[in-house]
Amino acid sequence: MTMIKHPKRHLILPGVQNLRDLGGYPTADGKLTRWRRVLRGDGLHRITAEGLDALGSEGLTSVIDLRSAAELADEPNPYLGHPDVLFHHQPVYDDLAPTMQRIRAGDHDDPLVPFYLTALIERGEAVRAVLARIAVAPKGAVLFHCTAGKDRTGIIAALLLGTAGVERETILADYALTGEFIAALVEELLERTRQSGGDAEAHARFLACAPPTMAAMLDHIDRRHGSIEGYLKDIGLAAGDISSLRDRLLMG
């Protein structure tokens, strides 16, 4: 798909691997999502001063960090206290460890599916808060990110693209695109697991980003809420915020 591989999609900056634009995607009614309005990314703690300057030149005005408080403390965000960019810490999970342990204890063909459904069902208020922040962000580009830019970021990206009317095939392709950019990060995480005596093979299952994983999440939303918009309404996102999200992604 040419729109997936668009040259403006991947922002190649020193210190980040998986920083991407949600622009340039066609919608079911023939529109295109706008460039440099909404960015998705991996951890920013290694970004260089050059990278920060580059993001500023791309019009970045807001950053939303989806990581837990412990992750933020361990790897501080460079935009915390930034004079020109609004920073919001909006964790999707307050603490990842209990959730991950519960999922690992279960018997799942794809452990990421219950991980994502836990976010949708148990952390609906947190998801609502993230989307509300994006809806009211000032003009310019808003960037939301987690650690690898895959799971928490992938959930929010899918909800945003679906709200804009981007079709499922494209949402799945955008989700899977992460796999092309985080190979080095995946190996680093697996090596940490090996060094600590953990099960690298089991950990690797959590580092995948196959389309069926996201498809299962979207299927759940359709069954339980009728549509992505239905889910957003059910978690309490205001109609005005839903409209603002569409405007941010689609209007000039």
Side-chain angles (χ1 to χ4, degrees):
M1 297 179 189
T2 56
M3 72 278 192
I4 296 291
K5 299 293 188 178
H6 195 287
K8 292 179 71 172
R9 174 88 47 227
H10 187 203
L11 283 74
I12 303 174
L13 302 176
V16 291
Q17 298 181 36
N18 189 26
L19 183 57
R20 313 205 307 267
D21 198 313
L22 294 184
Y25 286 140
T27 65
D29 59 359
K31 298 176 182 177
L32 285 174
T33 55
R34 304 279 296 189
W35 294 106
R36 300 307 188 254
R37 297 298 179 84
V38 182
L39 308 176
R40 55 174 295 174
D42 54 326
L44 302 177
H45 57 285
R46 294 175 177 170
I47 195 168
T48 65
E50 178 186 353
L52 294 175
D53 289 344
L55 277 176
S57 69
E58 295 290 353
L60 184 68
T61 57
S62 301
V63 169
I64 302 173
D65 192 329
L66 309 179
R67 300 175 302 157
S68 69
E71 290 173 291
L72 178 61
D74 288 344
E75 297 173 337
N77 197 301
Y79 285 102
L80 184 61
H82 194 284
D84 302 316
V85 175
L86 292 176
F87 174 78
H88 303 285
H89 181 222
Q90 204 72 60
V92 172
Y93 292 97
D94 289 325
D95 185 357
L96 281 172
T99 298
M100 298 296 280
Q101 289 300 324
R102 185 167 66 252
I103 291 170
R104 285 180 175 138
D107 182 17
H108 304 287
D109 291 336
D110 181 350
L112 287 174
V113 173
F115 182 52
Y116 292 7
L117 298 190
T118 297
L120 293 179
I121 298 168
E122 298 184 15
R123 298 291 294 165
E125 171 57 29
V127 172
R128 184 207 63 77
V130 172
L131 295 173
R133 288 283 191 194
I134 297 172
V136 301
K139 290 183 179 180
V142 56
L143 163 63
F144 61 94
H145 76 93
C146 54
T147 298
K150 181 177 76 72
D151 300 319
R152 290 163 285 185
T153 296
I155 291 168
I156 299 300
L159 295 174
L160 287 171
L161 292 175
T163 300
V166 173
E167 295 189 286
R168 172 181 286 228
E169 180 184 7
T170 302
I171 295 173
L172 299 183
D174 179 77
Y175 170 72
L177 190 59
T178 286
E180 296 192 21
F181 302 130
I182 65 167
L185 177 58
V186 165
E187 184 51 42
E188 177 184 330
L189 294 173
L190 291 178
E191 183 57 29
R192 288 184 192 176
T193 299
R194 295 185 194 101
Q195 293 294 330
S196 64
D199 187 340
E201 183 176 349
H203 189 190
R205 298 177 67 203
F206 283 89
L207 299 175
C209 51
T213 301
M214 181 55 66
M217 188 193 90
L218 297 177
D219 287 343
H220 167 85
I221 290 174
D222 288 345
R223 285 194 307 269
R224 187 157 178 171
H225 306 278
S227 65
I228 285 178
E229 182 172 351
Y231 170 73
L232 300 187
K233 290 178 178 177
D234 287 346
I235 63 173
L237 190 65
D241 285 341
I242 295 173
S243 178
S244 293
L245 290 175
R246 290 196 182 104
D247 288 347
R248 170 171 288 276
L249 282 159
L250 295 173
M251 290 182 64

